[in-house]
Amino acid sequence: MRIDLRDVQGNILRPYAMDAAKFVFVQFGDGAAGRAWLAELAGSVTTAEPRAANDAKQPTLNLALTSTGLAALGLPAQQLATFPQEFRDGMVARAGQLGDTGTNRPEHWEPGWKRRQVHAMVAVHARSPKEVTERLGPVEAGMAGSGIRTVGQQDGSRLVTADKCVKEHFGFNDGFGQPALDVDGYPRPFRGQGTPDGHGSWKPVALGEFILGQADEEGALAGAPRPPELAANGTYLVYRKLQQHVGDFREYVAAQTARLNWPPGKVEACLIGRWPDGSPLVLRPDGPDAALGADEARNNDFLYLEDDPDGHRCPIGAHIRRANPRDALTLSRQRTARQLQSRHRMLRRSITYGPPLGEEEPDTDEDVRGLLFMACVADLRRQFEFVQSQWLNDGNILHLGDDRDPLAGFHDGTRKMTLQGRRPRFLPGIPEFVTTRGGEYFFKPGISAMRWLAQQG
């Protein structure tokens, strides 16, 4: 698929995979000054164009805008109205659809999010916090001169082990199962990263599922804002700050391991769908396989309907099975998953925040560590909101009753997880392992669209 990569912002089609990041959330005080700043910034934004080996790890800079930010920049109301309703509403107003209830309600979020104060997000990725600070310096200086104020910021950092594995705070290797894309100039994806075609092979997901102005899985163009100059090569970015309660997770796993008299690692593997080393339960139900977990050519090459239809290997309610059902929602073995699965994929660009919790270290349950969940989609409602509400927070589509995703679903200690088998078992009283601390929907425009916005007003 051909696309002008010089006009697409970086970190959409392919992750940066750098160890440090900072996200600066800003507010425009004056539309004209904001547009002038945007015009100047556009020339230094990192694009998706493949970079030479000696440039690949240089600090990056990217920008995304909220609907309130677009309005503050002076985008006319009639053009703002061409954006989808969920984007204009913002994440706070969509709490009901997303399952943000209880302690996850927006009233408990960080002030900048619950009051919708954020107009734009400036994101910098680099090899170290020092390089992040150096790259941000001139940007922040330009903001000060344009009357743009910072209303919040968030550091991110990858957890990389001595053997180069990227972890998340619950202790699992992370970054598996990204959608495969067919883009000229990019490496060919591995098996299992795309969509099963029903004939034993995998096909890339259409670029229009993620980039506006490109054909989607239906061969059509996703609904995009007008005029075309505004939408070209843009995407919608979901940002959610998720605190992880690592101490509660470890305590629960230990208690259930003892209750079931299971070997170490089995309970958490059932919750996630993979062993901590990344090897999938579908392929290794009896124990982990570090070599398989580390092998990108094999660790995603599996199906559910074909390899584990009853969930006896990987529970049907496991996190990775809910988030990406692969072929499991097809109506027969002859019908492909294209319509039921590919239309709901997301390009995840998450990064952890905060230091890891030591094995013997007590968890204070303060907002110290967690995940900055980020995903790029062409349709917020069909992709992110659908997955969050139907696959993660509702068990009906998977014939699991009121079971919810053990990690990403809302829990208050009253619900269970079903473990299929010849004799089904249950993980009862699942506590809240993850709490939403804030978030918003952003529009990540193409470079030309940034320049177009800067000329409005």
Side-chain angles (χ1 to χ4, degrees), residues 196-235:
D197 66 358
H199 304 288
S201 297
W202 298 82
K203 58 171 294 180
V205 180
L207 199 56
E209 296 295 321
F210 314 106
I211 300 292
L212 301 176
Q214 297 287 325
D216 62 19
E217 285 286 319
E218 294 285 345
L221 301 181
R226 295 184 296 275
E229 293 86 349
L230 176 59
N233 294 322
T235 189

Side-chain angles (χ1 to χ4, degrees), residues 10 16 19 47 67 103 108 142 200 208 229 244 374 420 423-424 452:
Y16 287 138
D19 291 344
T47 73
S67 62
T103 55
H108 301 302
E229 293 86 349
Q244 292 179 256
M374 286 171 282
Q420 292 77 22
R423 181 168 68 90
W452 183 88

Side-chain angles (χ1 to χ4, degrees), residues 265-284:
K266 180 69 172 180
V267 169
E268 52 259 58
C270 286
L271 291 169
I272 303 295
R274 292 182 185 270
W275 297 93
D277 63 14
S279 49
L281 278 176
V282 169
L283 300 180
R284 295 294 184 271

Side-chain angles (χ1 to χ4, degrees), residues 84-98:
Q85 187 68 51
E86 56 273 18
F87 171 72
R88 287 179 281 137
D89 287 345
M91 194 175 288
V92 167
R94 306 294 289 182
Q97 289 87 341
L98 299 177

Side-chain angles (χ1 to χ4, degrees), residues 141-393:
M143 288 166 45
S146 302
I148 300 172
R149 71 185 188 96
T150 298
V151 294
Q153 55 184 339
Q154 177 66 57
D155 290 316
S157 57
R158 292 202 308 169
L159 303 179
V160 184
T161 63
D163 56 357
K164 305 300 183 182
C165 291
V166 178
K167 296 277 188 180
E168 53 73 51
H169 283 292
F170 291 140
F172 287 78
N173 287 1
D174 200 16
F176 297 97
Q178 294 284 7
L181 300 176
D182 182 12
V183 180
D184 289 349
Y186 276 60
R188 298 295 298 175
F190 295 108
R191 286 181 58 83
Q193 289 185 314
T195 300
D197 66 358
H199 304 288
S201 297
W202 298 82
K203 58 171 294 180
V205 180
L207 199 56
E209 296 295 321
F210 314 106
I211 300 292
L212 301 176
Q214 297 287 325
D216 62 19
E217 285 286 319
E218 294 285 345
L221 301 181
R226 295 184 296 275
E229 293 86 349
L230 176 59
N233 294 322
T235 189
Y236 294 106
L237 175 69
V238 179
Y239 175 94
R240 279 168 78 80
K241 182 180 180 180
L242 305 174
Q243 178 189 354
Q244 292 179 256
H245 305 286
V246 179
D248 291 343
F249 180 84
R250 291 176 179 174
E251 289 177 10
Y252 183 82
V253 165
Q256 297 306 313
T257 297
R259 182 181 69 85
L260 295 169
N261 193 28
W262 276 6
K266 180 69 172 180
V267 169
E268 52 259 58
C270 286
L271 291 169
I272 303 295
R274 292 182 185 270
W275 297 93
D277 63 14
S279 49
L281 278 176
V282 169
L283 300 180
R284 295 294 184 271
D286 299 322
D289 181 342
L292 173 61
D295 189 345
E296 293 182 291
R298 297 189 298 135
N299 60 26
N300 271 306
D301 190 10
F302 61 89
L303 298 170
Y304 293 121
L305 183 65
E306 293 292 332
D307 299 327
D308 184 30
D310 300 317
H312 289 190
R313 289 169 168 258
C314 175
I316 294 173
H319 175 64
I320 69 165
R321 190 160 181 163
R322 280 179 174 268
N324 179 14
R326 300 180 183 237
D327 64 334
L329 301 182
T330 55
L331 302 180
S332 71
R333 293 177 187 271
Q334 285 72 44
R335 183 175 177 183
T336 73
R338 184 173 181 178
Q339 296 302 315
L340 294 170
Q341 187 255 3
S342 293
R343 306 308 311 280
H344 309 296
R345 298 302 301 276
M346 295 178 277
L347 292 173
R348 292 174 289 109
R349 298 296 179 253
S350 307
I351 189 170
T352 48
Y353 71 91
L357 185 70
E359 288 297 326
E360 304 300 325
E361 182 182 353
D363 192 344
T364 62
D365 201 32
E366 297 178 357
D367 182 17
V368 174
R369 59 186 57 83
L371 181 74
L372 304 176
F373 174 86
M374 286 171 282
C376 296
V377 297
D379 189 315
L380 290 164
R381 188 192 300 265
R382 172 168 49 81
Q383 291 166 281
F384 171 68
E385 291 193 346
F386 178 91
V387 170
Q388 186 73 17
S389 63
Q390 300 300 310
W391 290 355
L392 302 183
N393 268 314

